[in-house]
Amino acid sequence: MIEVRYHDSVNVLQGPSLQDVASCAASPFDRPEWFDLLKDIGFDPLVVSAHDGTGSAAIVLQATEGRASALRNWYSFTWRPLIADNALQDAKLQAIARDLRARFHRTTLDQVPDEDGSATRLARSFAAAGWRVEVTTCDTNHILFVNRRSFAEYWASRPGRLRTTLKRKAKKVSVSVLTTFDAQAWDQYERIYAASWKPAEGNPAMLKAFANQESNAGRLRLGLAFYEDEPIAAQFWTVENGIAYIHKLAHLESHKNLSAGTTLSAALFEHVIDKDGVTLVDFGTGDQPYKADWMDSIRPRYRIDCLNMRSVKGWIDLGRLALGRLRTPEVPELAREPRSG
């Protein structure tokens, strides 16, 4: 028998009943510490777990007005269920989905990956539990498979214009890559970001706290580029489990002619490839054209809308979804299940 439990604290993810779940964290955005940061900036977590004699599964949500959604913010690259990669555990996802259907008229899970089967498992589990499930492609993730190349070998495969830019501009700026948190360096990062073309930060205090956490765990990679001792470009990366994550990058438009961002990116790629030995570089979400210069592949991110057709509000939301698609110039990919591979 599978027991479903509800918790209003992410601390349960670090407790003995969900130790097997916490150990399944595949990225920075699956860890209890990440959800705790979201709680600290005002999110109300709802941890839904399922247990039997073979192990546990959990999903971390937020809920309001009869709707549940993935607990994430714009810093999160992905959201996925916390579950061992074991088909025997899928029954627990179905049990969670079935129980949620008794409480909510809609559950929306977005930025779900499927290279690990997460989106497929969720879509199938919610459909089997009686929800109407619609899956759309909601975002793009640019990645680089290093494939045992050195940085020099990787760099030789980059577009000619990118290599030419680095060759002409690299000597005009100096770069520094920090692996431990430094308050002055972080202040420089924040000033560059605030003065750049980038949109206003969602929550600078959260990002700073995250950088401190990653530094304490040895995962921080903070890059700065200088021109005549003035910081003009900054990038915030982390490294874990053989993967480098590019979280934030910015440069001053006033020094755009120096291409400091290109020089700094090259230095960080060299660091994570040659020194950290990563096998993958993850450029987060968004399909900005410049990312293709640095990365080799793309992966979709999925939005899974689960509608409770026993609820009047579920039918209303279905109508809104249909109307929204009619108004969208580019109709998103729609399928009952993600297209794996």
Side-chain angles (χ1 to χ4, degrees):
M1 180 177 176
I2 299 175
E3 179 186 5
V4 177
R5 305 172 187 166
Y6 290 78
H7 318 268
D8 60 6
S9 171
V10 296
N11 291 338
V12 69
L13 295 173
Q14 298 171 306
S17 65
L18 287 174
Q19 279 184 341
D20 56 333
V21 164
S23 67
C24 294
S27 81
F29 316 106
D30 306 325
R31 292 198 299 265
E33 294 85 355
W34 179 259
F35 296 120
D36 207 36
L37 288 172
L38 292 174
K39 177 185 69 67
D40 287 345
I41 63 171
F43 286 82
D44 292 323
L46 177 65
V47 180
V48 188
S49 61
H51 310 260
D52 67 6
T54 67
S56 305
I59 61 175
V60 187
L61 305 170
Q62 54 185 323
T64 181
E65 298 180 354
R67 289 183 57 173
S69 60
L71 182 62
R72 56 173 301 276
N73 69 351
W74 77 322
Y75 295 128
S76 310
F77 291 9
T78 55
W79 180 95
R80 55 165 61 86
L82 306 179
I83 186 170
D85 186 16
N86 183 336
L88 295 175
Q89 308 298 340
D90 285 358
K92 297 182 181 62
L93 282 183
Q94 291 184 28
I96 289 172
R98 193 175 301 113
D99 208 271
L100 288 172
R101 190 166 171 244
R103 297 169 180 256
F104 300 103
H105 71 270
R106 182 174 178 176
T107 298
T108 301
L109 313 171
D110 59 345
Q111 298 295 354
V112 183
D114 201 44
E115 60 270 12
D116 62 354
S118 288
T120 295
R121 296 174 85 174
L122 285 166
R124 289 177 177 172
S125 296
F126 274 79
W131 296 82
R132 174 171 178 143
V133 177
E134 297 195 354
V135 181
T136 53
T137 302
C138 67
D139 216 328
T140 298
N141 170 226
H142 282 261
I143 55 172
L144 169 74
F145 291 105
V146 178
N147 292 328
R148 299 184 178 179
R149 289 174 290 181
S150 66
F151 172 76
E153 291 169 327
Y154 155 74
W155 191 245
S157 70
R158 294 304 90 200
R161 66 182 181 280
L162 192 64
R163 290 184 283 116
T164 299
T165 297
L166 182 64
K167 187 175 182 179
R168 289 191 299 110
K169 302 297 181 85
K171 294 181 179 179
K172 297 183 178 181
V173 298
S174 60
V175 299
S176 173
V177 177
L178 305 179
T179 58
T180 57
F181 187 87
D182 179 88
Q184 180 181 0
W186 191 260
D187 287 345
Q188 291 170 334
Y189 158 78
E190 288 188 333
R191 287 199 299 272
I192 292 168
Y193 192 96
S196 74
W197 80 102
K198 293 282 189 172
E201 277 284 13
N203 195 294
M206 175 190 171
L207 200 64
K208 184 176 182 179
F210 175 57
N212 259 303
Q213 282 185 3
E214 296 302 279
S215 173
N216 292 336
R219 297 186 289 251
L220 177 70
R221 305 293 182 267
L222 180 64
L224 292 166
F226 300 85
Y227 175 68
E228 296 180 348
D229 296 327
E230 177 189 359
I232 60 172
Q235 298 189 18
F236 171 36
W237 296 33
T238 60
V239 172
E240 65 178 289
N241 298 326
I243 301 174
Y245 296 90
I246 306 176
H247 296 276
K248 289 289 181 180
L249 68 170
H251 63 261
L252 298 182
E253 286 291 296
S254 58
H255 292 77
K256 185 177 181 179
N257 63 306
L258 296 174
S259 299
T262 298
T263 301
L264 184 56
S265 291
L268 279 158
F269 271 89
E270 183 174 14
H271 187 104
V272 301
I273 291 173
D274 287 351
K275 293 185 179 180
D276 294 317
V278 301
T279 59
L280 181 76
V281 182
D282 187 330
F283 217 146
T285 55
D287 200 20
Q288 296 88 342
Y290 72 87
K291 291 184 177 181
D293 288 344
W294 298 89
M295 318 306 273
D296 288 342
S297 304
I298 60 173
R299 304 185 293 200
R301 293 292 174 250
Y302 292 99
R303 176 186 174 100
I304 305 171
D305 265 309
C306 309
L307 302 168
N308 184 353
M309 306 319 296
R310 296 186 303 189
S311 164
V312 172
K313 289 183 178 180
W315 282 98
I316 292 172
D317 278 2
L318 177 62
R320 288 172 175 164
L321 279 176
L323 182 60
R325 292 192 182 104
L326 290 174
R327 291 174 174 172
T328 302
E330 295 183 7
V331 179
E333 177 186 351
L334 178 64
R336 285 287 176 176
E337 294 178 3
R339 298 175 182 174
S340 298

